[in-house]
Amino acid sequence: QVQLVESGGGLVQPGGSLTLSCVASGSIFSINAMGWYRQAPGKQRELVAHITSGGTTTYADSVKGRFTISRDNAKNTVYLQMNTLKPEDTAVYYCNTQGRDSTIRYFDYWGQGTQVTVSS
């Protein structure tokens, strides 16, 4: 079993910054891709940013130049630095991680979500 714990969400004014963290723990053999997704009310969940085990990153067009995804492989942790936040960034942000557990079985887990609200 693998657990994901997210932190760092909250209320911020437009133009402000937040950093989200997601720590994976449990029976982990290796972690491949890690990513952040978000879901706003009435909308589908969408990819925000994604990072491979080799460090290759992908971003949604709407966050390019404002958000930065990074990971600490030694800590099984992925971060999302969010700058110049806009009201349209308001959503529940979910961490996702894919890899293999201690039995070398593939896993794909989601975190519980953390609310980010951008409002004055």
Side-chain angles (χ1 to χ4, degrees):
Q1 190 75 6
V2 175
Q3 296 82 38
L4 298 180
V5 178
E6 300 153 339
S7 61
L11 172 65
V12 63
Q13 292 186 342
S17 298
L18 282 176
T19 300
L20 305 182
S21 300
C22 174
V23 181
S25 63
S27 302
I28 297 170
F29 176 76
S30 64
I31 292 179
N32 299 331
M34 304 185 83
W36 290 96
Y37 293 72
R38 67 187 181 187
Q39 188 167 18
K43 295 187 177 181
Q44 289 188 331
R45 190 173 297 187
E46 62 177 0
L47 172 70
V48 176
H50 177 272
I51 184 167
T52 68
S53 57
T56 300
T57 57
T58 304
Y59 295 94
D61 287 342
S62 59
V63 307
K64 283 181 181 177
R66 300 188 298 122
F67 290 10
T68 302
I69 189 170
S70 62
R71 61 189 283 175
D72 184 332
N73 291 329
K75 297 180 179 180
N76 290 336
T77 301
V78 62
Y79 305 95
L80 185 68
Q81 174 67 45
M82 304 184 293
N83 298 326
T84 319
L85 283 159
K86 304 175 180 180
E88 50 264 42
D89 295 317
T90 295
V92 178
Y93 283 69
Y94 297 91
C95 171
N96 173 264
T97 185
Q98 300 165 20
R100 296 197 180 273
D101 64 18
S102 58
T103 67
I104 320 300
R105 186 172 301 173
Y106 173 81
F107 66 76
D108 184 342
Y109 283 101
W110 292 88
Q112 79 284 359
T114 185
Q115 177 71 46
V116 172
T117 302
V118 185
S119 175
S120 55

